[in-house]
Amino acid sequence: MHKFIIPVQQYFMDNANSEKTLSMKKYMKNQFDYFGLIMPFRRKFCTEYIRKNPLTSIIEIENIVKELWQYPQREYQYFAIELLAFYKKLWNVDTIKIINEIIITKSWWDSVDFISSYLCSPYFKKFPEQIQLITFNWNRSENFWLRRSSLLFQLKYKKETDTKILTNYIQNLILSKEFFIRKAIGWVLREYSKTNPDWVVAFVCQHQQLSGLSKREALKVISKKEN
């Protein structure tokens, strides 16, 4: 175990909660083990630990992330995402390789959505020239978590949202039967409706093939304002 991880492991073990462990495992369909740490306390510890124990090499950071991804308890993966996100200034173009790896490994909505917001979104803002190449391939990947990520990387872009890319990617996935894709389409449209509601309404009207789930999610904020 890397020496950076040892105090983290000790904190996780010392604060494990068996009752919370059972409920967390059940919530995640028993796909992962947990220490049962409550999120606010876990994140507070992790943030403070990362700040107090600085790292200087992106290679070392990525190796730590890879190691954390091997452990069974899900808290290690959450910590790995927070660690990599903290060191945005050290990222280089090749950082997308580790991001891609952790999207498709031990994949579930909790990690993929966390990665989309904390890693994919800032990565493509830092390296916008990578957007077309990487996200196009994600959008057409056989891995539906990559397809979901191709939609969600713009989730918080607001006025910076590239609507041509968004339109293209949704149209490519519009007939998908996969729940997590349909949900992501609705989610990204709903978020963009907070910035440009007229565009979203027009988009939904023009794309009758959208699933009912996608439409409901897309118009949720607009409908609330109208009622």
Side-chain angles (χ1 to χ4, degrees):
M1 177 176 282
H2 193 288
K3 62 181 180 181
F4 183 83
I5 302 174
I6 294 173
V8 178
Q9 181 190 56
Q10 192 63 53
Y11 175 85
F12 287 173
M13 293 174 64
D14 290 345
N15 292 275
N17 184 319
S18 57
E19 291 184 7
K20 291 291 183 181
T21 294
L22 292 175
S23 62
M24 289 177 177
K25 288 179 68 173
K26 184 178 180 180
Y27 184 62
M28 289 297 170
K29 310 294 185 182
N30 293 309
Q31 295 189 81
F32 311 105
D33 289 329
Y34 282 87
F35 285 107
L37 302 179
I38 298 174
M39 184 177 68
F41 297 104
R42 171 183 57 78
R43 295 197 70 177
K44 182 176 184 295
F45 164 78
C46 292
T47 299
E48 292 177 352
Y49 180 78
I50 292 170
R51 287 175 178 169
K52 292 177 180 179
N53 297 273
L55 299 168
T56 58
S57 166
I58 188 62
I59 294 175
E60 182 179 20
I61 293 164
E62 291 181 1
N63 286 336
I64 293 171
V65 168
K66 290 177 182 179
E67 183 177 342
L68 287 164
W69 222 260
Q70 300 305 311
Y71 298 128
Q73 291 85 0
R74 199 60 163 164
E75 287 89 349
Y76 285 119
Q77 282 91 66
Y78 300 152
F79 177 65
I81 297 168
E82 292 172 358
L83 176 64
L84 188 55
F86 184 82
Y87 285 101
K88 294 182 185 74
K89 290 183 179 180
L90 297 181
W91 291 359
N92 55 49
V93 171
D94 288 337
T95 301
I96 195 62
K97 294 178 181 178
I98 184 70
I99 294 174
N100 190 97
E101 182 177 337
I102 63 177
I103 289 174
I104 64 175
T105 309
K106 295 190 176 180
S107 310
W108 195 239
W109 64 263
D110 60 329
S111 62
V112 171
D113 294 357
F114 197 8
I115 292 166
S116 294
S117 294
Y118 282 78
L119 301 180
C120 298
S121 178
Y123 174 85
F124 289 119
K125 284 192 174 184
K126 185 169 184 176
F127 303 104
E129 71 280 1
Q130 294 291 100
I131 292 175
Q132 290 284 356
L133 174 63
I134 301 298
T135 65
F136 180 89
N137 289 334
W138 284 0
N139 186 251
R140 285 149 180 79
S141 170
E142 294 182 0
N143 185 296
F144 72 79
W145 294 113
L146 289 176
R147 297 199 297 273
R148 182 174 169 95
S149 298
S150 76
L151 298 167
L152 297 184
F153 83 91
Q154 293 198 89
L155 191 65
K156 301 297 182 181
Y157 276 18
K158 299 181 180 180
K159 291 182 179 180
E160 296 179 355
T161 299
D162 187 322
T163 54
K164 289 183 179 180
I165 287 179
L166 183 60
T167 298
N168 183 21
Y169 290 2
I170 291 176
Q171 288 175 338
N172 187 53
L173 300 174
I174 202 166
L175 298 180
S176 174
K177 302 296 184 182
E178 172 56 54
F179 169 82
F180 288 107
I181 298 300
R182 291 182 168 187
K183 186 77 171 181
I185 290 172
W187 188 12
V188 71
L189 288 172
R190 185 183 75 208
E191 282 300 306
Y192 190 53
S193 77
K194 298 173 184 177
T195 299
N196 194 339
D198 292 340
W199 187 93
V200 172
V201 170
F203 183 92
V204 171
C205 290
Q206 293 164 10
H207 294 81
Q208 294 301 312
Q209 290 176 302
L210 283 168
S211 69
L213 173 61
S214 296
K215 289 179 182 178
R216 288 193 300 274
E217 287 294 320
L219 301 175
K220 186 174 291 185
V221 172
I222 296 171
S223 298
K224 285 183 178 179
K225 289 182 178 179
E226 292 176 348
N227 293 332

